[in-house]
Amino acid sequence: MTESSAFPTPSANLENHVTSGATVWLTGLPSAGKTTIAYELAGRLREEGHRVEVLDGDEIREFISAGLGFSREDRHTNVQRIGFLAELLARNGVKALVPVIAPYADSRDAVRKRHQEGGTAYLEVHVATPVEVCSVRDVKGLYAKQAAGELTGLTGVDDPYETPESPDLRIESQNQTVQESAGAVHALLTERGLA
């Protein structure tokens, strides 16, 4: 066996993949549409040959941040863990799509700073769906539980959500389809040379 046949060249493995990584952080209220948009975008990017991972906030809490509560400190810790994982993936050529509430500006800023220090592309997308729309969607029944007094600390209702002042993109998902929202994020990635 010759050396060339035993070990395929890197280009043979990568020719069908786009290898520029980036983190796309989708922040917004519960039921704003963050995860739905992320999965729609992930499918589109995969079709184009990108390596993509969706870092779903609920899955992260179950597997990486188990034991953390919803105090400001615990939320900050959770966001930093997700930010670390996203940056690790992104600097290794993966599009890390992160649909996570991340209610505090200082937590999001720390994640952005980590990416900047590592020279890793980072885009913040604010899915700016109004709370009135989110509470009607109520994907996980959280708003109903809060209204019934079964839940406290719901972001945007009785716990703060600090709206991003200057995100890379702001989406009003109530005014467009999921495909249009994902398309807007894709257009931003393209504009930045990342898609």
Side-chain angles (χ1 to χ4, degrees), residues 41-50:
L41 177 61
R44 184 167 174 178
L45 289 169
R46 284 188 184 111
E47 285 175 7
E48 295 173 355
H50 296 269

Side-chain angles (χ1 to χ4, degrees), residues 14 17-23 45 49-52 89-96 120-121 189 192-195:
L14 299 176
H17 294 287
V18 181
T19 57
S20 58
T23 293
L45 289 169
H50 296 269
R51 293 160 53 195
V52 182
L89 288 167
R91 79 171 121 107
N92 283 284
V94 177
K95 299 287 188 299
T120 307
L189 284 165
R192 301 286 173 90
L194 299 166

Side-chain angles (χ1 to χ4, degrees), residues 4 10-11 15 18 25 32 38 68 94 100 107-108 113 118 120 124 126 130 135 148 156 158:
S4 62
S11 61
E15 61 187 296
V18 181
W25 195 287
L68 289 180
V94 177
V100 174
S107 297
R108 296 189 304 263
K113 185 177 178 191
T120 307
E124 182 179 75
H126 178 210
S135 64
D158 60 352

Side-chain angles (χ1 to χ4, degrees), residues 26-37 75 99-104 108 125-135 137-140 142-143 153-164 171 173-174:
L26 298 105
T27 178
L29 297 174
S31 296
K34 303 176 299 296
T35 302
T36 305
I37 293 167
R75 288 178 190 256
V100 174
I101 296 168
Y104 301 114
R108 296 189 304 263
V125 177
H126 178 210
V127 184
T129 312
V131 68
E132 299 78 22
V133 176
C134 295
S135 64
R137 289 179 181 171
D138 204 9
V139 178
K140 298 171 190 164
L142 299 176
Y143 293 93
L154 181 60
T155 301
V157 179
D158 60 352
D159 211 55
Y161 177 77
E162 298 173 357
T163 302
I171 290 174
S173 73
Q174 73 279 12

